[in-house]
Amino acid sequence: MDFISKAIKNIIIQFDINYNHFEEEYEIFLGKLDVDDLRKEANISETDHLKKNDLQYARIKIQKLQWTTGIDEEEKKIYLSVFPSFVIKYNKVSVDTIEHISKNTRKGEDIFTVINDSECILSSEDLLHRTCQKVNDTCIQKNYASILNTKYTKVYDIPISFPELFDEVYNYRYPASYELYRTGDIFIGEVAENGVLSNLNRIFKFLR
């Protein structure tokens, strides 16, 4: 029997910013813009919202690799799907978008208060909510924040501690995801590439 490796197409909803009308230097500046630093510098309250991201569709191909093991009659072929860290299997919303929603959406708020859907890609927040809620539930079931804290404590001999986090976390719509984001931000530190949850996805492989 012939085995044919096929690429599987996935549609990912990813927020992005279109800077085509800005000079290159300004593009670089905006790419490095830290919203938390901006809040402090401009004295913007945590209860106020800053929106800079629009929903966009992007189509990506997930490559499969063929792994052959064994000899002759015992030979076995195994297919491995290679997922980038910003993708959750069978999920249309990128990990970076989930992070943005989870760290900015307060309890009782609509997701579209923190993400702009100017092109009306979605008719409601349902798809975004289901995805964020699924990740939040998994963070609770798998206890990811505690596992990450334990790893950090083993290395630095001190736990990650947020005196205000216990009360603060329940002000967010997806508290477990928010707690993981805050913990991961300290765990990864300045070596982070892309988003915090995208980096943590390399460790935990959310919902795989």
Side-chain angles (χ1 to χ4, degrees):
M1 180 181 293
D2 293 328
F3 291 87
I4 301 175
S5 178
K6 296 181 179 178
I8 300 176
K9 294 181 178 180
N10 289 268
I11 295 176
I12 305 300
I13 295 177
Q14 169 71 31
F15 64 80
D16 203 353
I17 310 169
N18 185 349
Y19 299 142
N20 293 332
H21 56 290
F22 290 104
E23 296 294 330
E24 183 177 355
E25 291 79 9
Y26 194 48
E27 292 180 14
I28 295 173
F29 168 76
L30 288 178
K32 296 181 179 179
L33 181 64
D34 188 312
V35 174
D36 291 333
D37 287 344
L38 178 61
R39 282 185 181 277
K40 292 176 184 177
E41 186 173 335
N43 196 27
I44 300 173
S45 170
E46 286 291 333
T47 59
D48 295 334
H49 296 294
L50 292 172
K51 290 197 300 185
K52 63 173 184 178
N53 298 308
D54 288 333
L55 284 181
Q56 289 187 347
Y57 271 120
R59 185 180 294 273
I60 67 170
K61 293 182 179 180
I62 301 299
Q63 182 65 53
K64 278 193 174 183
L65 302 180
Q66 180 178 298
W67 169 22
T68 304
T69 182
I71 302 174
D72 298 333
E73 291 81 7
E74 299 298 325
E75 188 176 272
K76 182 179 181 182
K77 293 184 182 347
I78 302 171
Y79 292 92
L80 306 175
S81 295
V82 183
F83 283 87
S85 61
F86 65 86
V87 173
I88 296 177
K89 190 175 182 181
Y90 305 127
N91 201 319
K92 291 185 176 181
V93 183
S94 75
V95 177
D96 293 336
T97 304
I98 293 170
E99 175 179 318
H100 178 78
I101 293 170
S102 299
K103 73 179 184 181
N104 289 290
T105 309
R106 303 279 179 155
K107 185 182 295 185
E109 289 181 339
D110 190 285
I111 290 173
F112 290 122
T113 62
V114 300
I115 282 187
N116 185 32
D117 188 13
S118 59
E119 297 181 10
C120 296
I121 293 173
L122 300 176
S123 59
S124 73
E125 67 159 28
D126 290 351
L127 174 62
L128 298 172
H129 169 65
R130 285 196 303 269
T131 302
C132 291
Q133 188 62 56
K134 194 173 182 181
V135 171
N136 189 78
D137 291 344
T138 301
C139 288
I140 294 172
Q141 295 165 9
K142 303 293 185 180
N143 209 12
Y144 287 144
S146 294
I147 293 173
L148 205 60
N149 209 329
T150 299
K151 290 178 180 289
Y152 186 91
T153 303
K154 287 181 179 178
V155 174
Y156 298 104
D157 199 30
I158 185 173
I160 298 174
S161 178
F162 302 100
E164 79 287 358
L165 186 62
F166 181 80
D167 294 325
E168 181 185 46
V169 71
Y170 292 104
N171 291 323
Y172 287 82
R173 186 167 175 180
Y174 308 100
S177 297
Y178 177 76
E179 181 183 8
L180 181 61
Y181 162 75
R182 289 289 305 275
T183 305
D185 193 39
I186 298 297
F187 182 88
I188 297 170
E190 296 181 358
V191 299
E193 297 178 3
N194 304 315
V196 171
L197 295 189
S198 286
N199 278 270
L200 294 182
N201 199 19
R202 299 172 184 173
I203 302 173
F204 296 124
K205 298 178 174 58
F206 304 115
L207 308 178
R208 294 289 174 83

